[in-house]
Every structure is written in structure tokens, then in C-alpha cells.
Amino acid sequence: MRVLFKLLQIAIFALPLMAMRQDKPLRVIFFGDSITQAGVGPTGYITQMGEMLKAKGQEGQYELLGAGIGGNKVYDLYLRLEDDVLSKKPDIVFIYVGINDVWHKASSGTGTDADKYVKFYEALIKKMKAQNIRVIVCTPTVIGERNDASNSQDGDLNQYSKLIREIATRNNLQLCDLRKSFQDYLIQNNPENKEKGILTSDRVHLTDVGNKFLAEKMLEALVQK
């Protein structure tokens, strides 16, 4: 009888704690470059994700935080990982980096070679997994919107996207394949084969439509169990 009473006391004490734990929103950090930096703007993809969650009555389940800095490459993310991500104790992190690693090779000669890209990327993952963070990795989207493989960086973007897919498989991580999603969308919605103006304003940075499309894909990944 005394043991039963003790167990009942423990259950009464534990139930409110369990309820508090369930009610606490999951902290989600979006870790990336200028696309993510703009994501917290009025029509940015992170803002739109918040609005989509609100429309579903799920805004209390997630806390969305942007950690994007323009011009960043994968090693920049590694250098600021502690301050901008780990110190904030996130439950979930989207890693969305790679555009500048490819783009800056051609534009300024300061991109990231494929082997170094993988090395830094996996170092990010290792540190996050050590803190039991759910990591979602994203393939880089587009540098130019032509849908016939004639954008000058398409080859590199396809290579780096393949590396991300392999990283996801090797580390048993969830993949948000933005490269494929953008390519599929542009095949259907860019009949004139324009290099910009569909999802991007300048071949890279997103229009309001592009931000909405990205928000939808990110949200699909976020709520996936």
C-alpha cells in the first residue's frame, strides 16, 4: 500500500512536468547565407513558414529562428556554429549552404573545393549530433533558372547536391532536396527558359513566389516524422 501511494505521488508530480515539456515549442534554427538572412524579412521564407504554421493552428509548436549571413560559405558556418547555433540550444537545425561555395568560384575565385565542402559540412553535423539536435540538410537551389542545364554553374550545383545527398545517407539524416524541387518547378513554370524572374530576382536570391515555394518545402521537411 505504501509503495502504491509513493508511485501515485511520483505520477502526480511528473504529469505537470511532462505536460510542460510537450507544450514547449521546438526551437528551429535555419543556418545559412543571404537567402536565409532575407528569410526573416516581411516576405522571407522563414516568416512565411511562421504564417503557414499559424494558418494550421500550429504556431505554438515551433519557434523559428534565422541564422543567415550574406556571403557565407560552409566554413563560415563552422566558424560561427557555437555562437549562432549551439549556444541557442535548438531542437532542430536546417543546414542550407552551398550556393556561395559554388558561385564564388566563378565570381571571385573564393569558392570551396568539393573535398573541403564535405569535410566542413560533416564537421558541422558531428557537433550538432553531439548535442542531440535533429539536423535537416538541404541541397543548394539555383544559380540561374534556365531549365535546360545551360546555366553556367549547373554542373557544380549538381555535383554539390549529390554530395549533400550522400552526406544525408551516410549520416542517416533527413534530406530536404531543394535542388530537385526547384528544377522540377522550373521545368513546369519557365516555358520561356528565362534565367531569372520565376523564383529568383537575380538568378539566386528569391522573389516572394520563390520564398513561398521554399517555405512550403521547408515546412514539409519540418513536420515530417
Side-chain angles (χ1 to χ4, degrees):
M1 191 71 180
R2 190 175 301 167
V3 173
L4 184 62
F5 180 71
K6 191 71 176 175
L7 288 172
L8 187 61
Q9 279 186 314
I10 292 169
I12 291 169
F13 178 73
L15 279 171
L17 291 178
M18 289 172 65
M20 284 172 62
R21 194 174 296 120
Q22 290 167 355
D23 289 342
K24 183 183 176 184
L26 294 172
R27 177 168 289 177
V28 186
I29 292 181
F30 299 86
F31 198 25
D33 52 30
S34 57
I35 296 172
T36 296
Q37 187 173 27
V40 297
T43 59
Y45 78 87
I46 299 170
T47 302
Q48 292 202 43
M49 282 180 72
E51 292 167 357
M52 291 172 186
L53 285 167
K54 188 174 182 180
K56 295 173 180 286
Q58 297 176 331
E59 68 270 26
Q61 295 181 25
Y62 301 97
E63 178 189 11
L64 308 181
L65 302 174
I69 294 180
N72 268 198
K73 305 175 192 63
V74 68
Y75 57 81
D76 297 302
L77 267 56
Y78 183 79
L79 291 174
R80 62 186 181 90
L81 175 64
E82 183 63 46
D83 289 343
D84 291 358
V85 177
L86 300 184
S87 67
K88 294 179 170 59
K89 305 295 182 187
D91 299 289
I92 303 165
V93 174
F94 282 81
I95 307 177
Y96 177 27
V97 69
I99 293 290
N100 294 322
D101 298 88
V102 170
W103 194 15
H104 290 185
K105 283 184 180 184
S107 65
S108 56
T110 60
T112 310
D113 292 337
D115 59 338
K116 292 185 175 65
Y117 182 73
V118 171
K119 183 177 178 181
F120 276 107
Y121 210 111
E122 294 209 313
L124 285 172
I125 291 166
K126 184 177 180 181
K127 284 182 175 287
M128 291 187 205
K129 288 180 84 171
Q131 292 200 11
N132 296 316
I133 295 167
R134 175 186 161 199
V135 180
I136 303 172
V137 297
C138 304
T139 51
T141 49
V142 295
I143 305 172
E145 297 192 68
R146 292 181 185 138
N147 56 30
D148 61 353
S150 65
N151 304 291
S152 58
Q153 273 88 40
D154 276 345
D156 274 349
L157 282 176
N158 290 336
Q159 179 195 3
Y160 282 52
S161 294
K162 182 174 181 285
L163 293 173
I164 295 296
R165 295 176 191 122
E166 291 170 351
I167 286 170
T169 300
R170 191 159 56 244
N171 292 277
N172 195 29
L173 296 176
Q174 186 179 346
L175 172 71
C176 183
D177 200 341
L178 299 176
R179 175 76 177 156
K180 184 178 186 306
S181 295
F182 270 59
Q183 287 179 311
D184 290 348
Y185 183 95
L186 291 168
I187 288 169
Q188 295 295 322
N189 296 281
N190 188 11
E192 297 176 20
N193 205 29
K194 296 177 179 178
E195 69 170 354
K196 61 181 180 180
I198 311 299
L199 294 173
T200 76
S201 59
D202 60 357
R203 301 169 62 245
V204 171
H205 299 96
L206 302 176
T207 60
D208 290 353
V209 173
N211 272 297
K212 181 175 183 291
F213 183 70
L214 182 56
E216 290 169 349
K217 296 304 171 185
M218 291 281 204
L219 188 57
E220 287 174 14
L222 178 62
V223 301
Q224 185 178 321
K225 301 299 182 184

